[in-house]
Amino acid sequence: MATSSLPWLTLSIFVPIVFGLLVLLIGRDDNPGPARVLSLIGSIAGFLVTLPLYTGFNPHTADMQFVENRPWIETFNLNYHLGIDGISVWFILLTSFITIIVVLAGWEVIKSRVAQYMAAFLILSGLMIGVFCALDGMLFYVFFEATLIPMYIIIGAWGGPNRVYAALKFFLYTLMGSLLTLIAYIYLWHESNGSFDVATWQHLKLNYSQQIFIFIALLAAFAVKVPMWPIHTWLPDAHVEAPTGGSIVLAAVMLKLGCYAFLRFLLPIAPDASHSLAGLMIVLSLIAIVYIGLVAIVQDDMKKLVAYSSVAHMGYVTLGFFLFNVTGMEGAIIQMLSHGFVSGAMFMCIGVMYDRLHTRRIDAYGGIINRMPKFVTFFVLFSMANAGLPGTSGFVGEFTVILGAVQFNFWVGLLAATALMWGAGYSLWMLKRVAYGPVANENVSGMKDINGREYLVLGLLAIMVLFLGIFPSFFTDLMHPSVNALMQHVAISKL
């Protein structure tokens, strides 16, 4: 394993957390300016310390890099064990980038308890990065569960009228699934003679019954987090009630925690069970793509529409995982990254409109291009990306998964490809009703175009959507060795 001269992973985790704690210390409700400035400095610093993970990364090996391993709780053989490969490095960079976006998005919008709001996102950023680089099972579990706390507070304190219900539903859904996963981790610890090392778990010789148990136990937590159909119902409520920043992080990063856990735990630890239950997982994924896409079309709330579209897009991710070919797997990972940028941008656009009109109902808008032409330019781009337009990141991920599905089974690929129509349907139907035509009412006629801060946020997201869409090899080249190693590992029967 490659090691690093500086503890870059520890810095990536704790720089935003420390800045979050400092923001809490200096924050004052009567003077929120210093808290905002320190939060921005902290988010930028958090992004800068993740950059060496890319610049110093060796793209020619599947070994873990930047490894840190030291004793944590020696009584139970727990270690502070961190490391990244060509898959996890991108999600750490995505997390630190989105944190900057969220701080800028809430700069003027959040009026009350500004320091607490900004600090919650900085601390959440560090915890999510911890999930992506933990190589000790219990350390992963601690980070994985700890992310619930800041997001619960964000939704419950700064959300909409039904924020308490949405926050509690979010918390209970994700926590209940995780309890069964904890049992699975303890079982793996026992089977590995007292080790929580993820690599050790991945090479255990488990029989078929043991693998089925592990698969179901891990799926209980990871499927909720994705979220997969039919345990997705917490997501629309959470998105509708969350503040704009909460929706951005929830869609862009938190949904990826469950997807990433499939790659790090479920598939490599229980490969035979994964193969035998692949048909079920593919069916559930296709239901999410087709059925939830149809549900999204009939929504009259913009946030709820985009929330349901997230469930459909995550269906492509889980579909790609269980095709068991490199094309489908890499397409799923690219779809995860793309969805992070596109969904974050869509929720930012909805937040921009909500800040002006204080409603998310589609029928309350109409003709905003007459008042906000700069904004609509971005809105069109992101809506097209959400629909999978070639040249945008939305196309690359879904198209690659479809290619992998055709390699697996032509009819599975055809059904997944046909479902792209629903993405175009709900994205363009919403765009038409909101942006085009004559000005629908006098409230719309008073809307002002985006300011410099909003322009910067939307511009950064637009750059990433186009860059990933035009140069996907920039991302895939780094993940090739890790994906190939994972596919080889999963292809080897442990029975």
Side-chain angles (χ1 to χ4, degrees):
M1 289 187 178
T3 57
S4 56
S5 57
L6 285 174
W8 289 114
L9 293 178
T10 293
L11 290 172
S12 299
I13 294 169
F14 287 102
V15 164
I17 292 176
V18 169
F19 270 97
L21 296 174
L22 290 175
V23 169
L24 283 176
L25 288 175
I26 72 163
R28 291 173 49 189
D29 285 343
D30 59 340
N31 183 22
R36 289 192 178 108
V37 173
L38 186 59
S39 299
L40 182 59
I41 293 172
S43 64
I44 294 173
F47 178 68
L48 291 177
V49 296
T50 62
L51 289 180
L53 302 179
Y54 170 75
T55 58
F57 193 87
N58 180 0
H60 305 298
T61 178
D63 292 340
M64 289 293 168
Q65 303 182 43
F66 298 93
V67 174
E68 301 174 37
N69 192 4
R70 59 183 68 94
W72 176 26
I73 304 176
E74 296 188 51
T75 304
F76 300 105
N77 199 22
L78 296 177
N79 295 305
Y80 179 76
H81 191 186
L82 307 175
I84 57 171
D85 61 5
I87 298 172
S88 52
V89 62
W90 290 121
F91 296 104
I92 293 173
L93 291 166
L94 172 67
T95 303
S96 60
F97 173 78
I98 291 295
T99 304
I100 299 175
I101 296 296
V102 167
V103 170
L104 291 172
W107 192 267
E108 299 169 353
V109 178
I110 302 301
K111 307 292 186 184
S112 63
R113 302 188 298 277
V114 173
Q116 292 88 334
Y117 177 87
M118 297 295 188
F121 281 108
L122 288 169
I123 293 170
L124 177 61
S125 175
L127 295 174
M128 292 188 297
I129 289 173
V131 171
F132 292 125
C133 58
L135 297 181
D136 179 276
M138 193 51 62
L139 183 64
F140 174 92
Y141 186 82
V142 169
F143 282 128
F144 192 79
E145 295 306 303
T147 59
L148 298 179
I149 300 171
M151 183 54 71
Y152 176 81
I153 295 171
I154 289 165
I155 298 173
W158 291 276
N162 296 319
R163 59 186 179 273
V164 175
Y165 166 78
L168 190 60
K169 188 175 182 180
F170 158 75
F171 191 87
L172 291 178
Y173 263 66
T174 49
L175 182 63
M176 291 300 291
S178 297
L179 293 178
L180 190 57
T181 298
L182 179 60
I183 296 173
Y185 282 4
I186 294 172
Y187 181 81
L188 289 168
W189 174 81
H190 177 266
E191 289 297 310
S192 58
N193 297 318
S195 174
F196 280 104
D197 182 64
V198 174
T200 301
W201 287 0
Q202 291 174 352
H203 291 89
L204 286 175
K205 299 294 183 181
L206 301 176
N207 62 42
Y208 184 71
S209 298
Q210 290 174 311
Q211 288 193 39
I212 290 292
F213 163 69
I214 294 299
F215 185 98
I216 294 172
L218 296 180
L219 184 66
F222 303 158
V224 171
K225 208 84 164 185
V226 171
M228 294 184 67
W229 182 90
I231 46 178
H232 65 282
T233 56
W234 64 269
L235 184 66
D237 290 325
H239 272 310
V240 167
E241 299 303 325
T244 298
S247 291
I248 292 173
V249 167
L250 187 60
V253 185
M254 286 202 75
L255 302 189
K256 312 308 179 296
L257 301 182
C259 298
Y260 173 77
F262 272 83
L263 303 177
R264 188 64 74 218
F265 291 89
L266 193 145
L267 291 173
I269 294 175
D272 297 300
S274 299
H275 278 280
S276 64
L277 295 175
L280 171 64
M281 300 301 292
I282 288 172
V283 169
L284 294 177
S285 300
L286 290 173
I287 291 174
I289 294 169
V290 178
Y291 169 67
I292 301 301
L294 292 171
V295 171
I297 291 176
V298 301
Q299 300 303 314
D300 56 10
D301 183 298
M302 288 187 287
K303 255 196 174 184
K304 190 166 284 190
L305 185 151
V306 177
Y308 278 114
S309 80
S310 291
V311 179
H313 287 133
M314 289 297 98
Y316 281 99
V317 173
T318 51
L319 174 63
F321 288 166
F322 288 90
L323 298 173
F324 294 106
N325 57 54
V326 172
T327 304
M329 180 66 71
E330 290 191 349
I333 297 170
I334 289 296
Q335 175 70 354
M336 290 162 66
L337 293 171
S338 168
H339 181 262
F341 299 126
V342 175
S343 66
M346 290 296 290
F347 282 115
M348 180 63 193
C349 287
I350 295 169
V352 167
M353 291 185 282
Y354 182 83
D355 293 340
R356 287 156 173 76
L357 226 57
H358 301 292
T359 179
R360 293 183 297 269
R361 290 188 61 85
I362 295 174
D363 57 13
Y365 293 86
I368 65 171
I369 192 171
N370 299 293
R371 303 299 306 162
M372 304 175 67
K374 294 178 182 177
F375 167 76
V376 171
T377 301
F378 286 113
F379 193 33
V380 168
L381 170 63
F382 298 136
S383 297
M384 292 294 184
N386 203 43
L389 179 74
T392 67
S393 62
F395 172 78
V396 177
E398 293 180 0
F399 181 71
T400 310
V401 171
I402 291 169
L403 286 181
V406 170
Q407 293 177 19
F408 175 82
N409 181 283
F410 174 79
W411 298 107
V412 171
L414 179 64
L415 188 57
T418 304
L420 286 174
M421 294 187 300
W422 312 138
Y426 55 69
S427 298
L428 302 183
W429 180 232
M430 177 181 68
L431 177 66
K432 174 185 178 296
R433 288 180 288 171
V434 170
Y436 294 105
V439 174
N441 58 60
E442 59 184 28
N443 292 328
V444 172
S445 64
M447 296 175 70
K448 295 181 179 180
D449 213 342
I450 51 176
N451 57 34
R453 174 185 59 85
E454 294 165 334
Y455 200 104
L456 174 62
V457 172
L458 294 174
L460 289 172
L461 290 167
I463 290 170
M464 295 311 303
V465 167
L466 292 172
F467 185 77
L468 178 52
I470 298 171
F471 303 106
S473 60
F474 179 84
F475 299 86
T476 56
D477 287 350
L478 216 62
M479 66 178 73
H480 276 318
S482 298
V483 171
N484 287 329
L486 175 60
M487 287 293 94
Q488 291 172 10
H489 178 84
V490 173
I492 298 174
S493 174
K494 295 187 178 182
L495 299 181

